[in-house]
Amino acid sequence: MALGEFQLIDRFFRRLGAARSDVVLGVGDDAAVLRSPPGEELVVATDTLVEGVHFPKGSAARSIGHRALAVNLSDLAAMGARPAWATLALTLPAADEGWLAEFAAGFEALALRHGVALVGGDTTSGPLAVTVTLLGHAAIGTALTRSGASPGDRIFVSGTPGDAAAGLALIERRLEQGTPGVRDELLRRFLFPEPRVDLGYTLLDFASAVIDISDGLAADAGKLAAASGCGARIEADRLPLSKALLECAGEERTRLLALTGGDDYELLFAVPPARLAMLEARLAAQACRTTAIGVLREEPGLEVRAGAQRLELPRAGFDHFLR
Ligand code: ADP
Ligand code: MG
């Protein structure tokens, strides 16, 4: 028997709202009622994933559920905010129970790990697209932004950028398949990115500016620099490159993927020199690695150097309307 819209919401999504006591009214009424803590500001992000644009046709439903929330958690991480509530607008070509169970499981596992309650949404039929709005909190006046950095601040990046873009390239057969271990590692980085929410909290004490990398490290570094009224220099030789990526793509292509590949969901951040010593001790205790890769400067624009040589990048990040 075909599943109706209301049965579908009841069966797969209502229970994802059970996680928090500050949800006065969740899924099931005309709107949700939520209780914000006093002394806090609301921090809100929305991201849409469209089949064939943000993930290949036929992607595993569990990965789509995970990524739809992960990309928004990453935006809140870049603000140093604590995630709390999500809404989910789901457009489906068909109400396939197996697909929905997997999608909900992917969303739920990540939501539980970050204490996020699903409080509402919309369900429609049409070409597959998923929009999540994520709401969270930061103490008044403390949220991190892209615009607080100054010339002389050092630039850091978390994780090993480029892996996710390689994972997508493997799926789309634009890259040699490599050994199963390497392939699995890179696929996991595209299909199940780990948003750096804890790192975001740590950065509240240290960073002058933060951005999450979704469109490629170089493009997003340029955005942070421009928002801060500076330029930036990135040292390509200092980029943290994963063994898996090097093994799969070779050195030159690895470097290019790390600089221009999308979908990393790592944090790129600026730290004033006076805070560097303290930061190092705190970063050592973080689960994910962070690496100094460059510096902000007065001269506008982004320069990427490999030793004495200036690198020209083929593509300045992803833009939906300039492809
Ligand atoms: P309305 O017609 O008043 O907009 P709907 O019938 O669309 O309400 O939705 C009924 C309830 O189910 C609402 O509380 C809505 O937020 C929730 N809802 C609908 N779709 C989803 C979804 N995909 N995930 C979570 N909650 C949903
Ligand atoms: Mg509706």
Side-chain angles (χ1 to χ4, degrees):
M1 200 182 73
L3 202 59
E5 182 186 332
F6 302 105
Q7 291 166 301
L8 181 163
I9 295 164
D10 247 13
R11 172 101 59 94
F12 296 104
F13 297 117
R14 190 183 290 276
R15 75 190 153 89
L16 306 194
R20 298 179 65 98
S21 60
D22 53 10
V23 180
V24 180
L25 196 55
V27 170
D29 216 297
D30 287 314
V33 180
L34 308 168
R35 191 174 297 132
S36 273
E40 308 254 304
E41 286 169 331
L42 205 51
V43 182
V44 183
T46 296
D47 253 319
T48 296
L49 303 184
V50 177
E51 184 179 57
V53 180
H54 301 94
F55 57 87
K57 221 172 156 54
S59 286
R62 190 176 287 252
S63 160
I64 299 169
H66 175 101
R67 290 184 79 237
L69 181 58
V71 298
N72 284 284
L73 283 166
S74 179
D75 281 326
L76 257 62
M79 309 298 289
R82 272 175 297 113
W85 310 304
T87 64
L88 167 65
L90 194 52
T91 304
L92 298 170
D96 179 317
E97 289 187 45
W99 191 96
L100 278 160
E102 280 293 298
F103 174 88
F107 187 102
E108 182 173 25
L110 188 62
L112 286 175
R113 267 193 279 144
H114 292 279
V116 171
L118 183 65
V119 299
D122 200 17
T123 307
T124 52
S125 73
L128 181 57
V130 188
T131 297
V132 169
T133 296
L134 183 64
L135 300 96
H137 299 104
I140 290 173
T142 64
L144 298 164
T145 65
R146 299 176 178 186
S147 60
S150 308
D153 290 2
R154 303 300 151 76
I155 301 172
F156 287 76
V157 70
S158 67
T160 51
D163 294 355
L168 178 59
L170 284 169
I171 294 169
E172 293 179 338
R173 306 199 162 273
R174 290 181 279 111
L175 203 58
E176 287 289 330
Q177 295 300 302
T179 63
V182 161
R183 180 184 157 79
D184 287 353
E185 167 68 15
L186 297 174
L187 285 185
R188 188 178 57 75
R189 297 269 288 148
F190 174 75
L191 296 172
F192 296 97
E194 202 51 62
R196 305 302 187 187
V197 177
D198 282 343
L199 177 60
Y201 302 149
T202 301
L203 294 181
L204 283 169
D205 298 334
F206 298 97
S208 52
V210 186
I211 188 169
D212 81 311
I213 307 179
S214 51
D215 299 334
L217 186 155
D220 288 327
K223 285 185 203 165
L224 180 145
S228 293
C230 318
R233 190 180 66 229
I234 303 283
E235 306 284 352
D237 296 333
R238 304 184 71 166
L239 290 170
L241 306 173
S242 77
K243 268 202 192 118
L245 184 53
L246 280 165
E247 199 176 315
C248 197
E251 199 171 324
E252 197 171 327
R253 196 149 178 212
T254 288
R255 190 195 267 171
L256 206 60
L257 281 164
L259 285 165
T260 63
D263 301 308
D264 288 314
Y265 303 107
E266 297 294 350
L267 297 183
L268 183 134
F269 54 97
V271 180
R275 295 186 208 149
L276 284 173
M278 255 190 327
L279 176 75
E280 245 147 66
R282 288 282 294 280
L283 287 183
Q286 281 284 319
C288 77
R289 124 191 209 197
T290 46
T291 310
I293 57 165
V295 66
L296 288 153
R297 57 184 192 179
E298 269 169 41
E299 190 183 328
L302 178 76
E303 184 186 39
V304 182
R305 298 197 78 87
Q309 200 191 345
R310 192 184 170 125
L311 293 185
E312 293 306 325
L313 300 179
R315 196 184 78 150
F318 186 81
D319 184 309
H320 279 271
F321 300 101
L322 301 174
R323 279 195 286 161

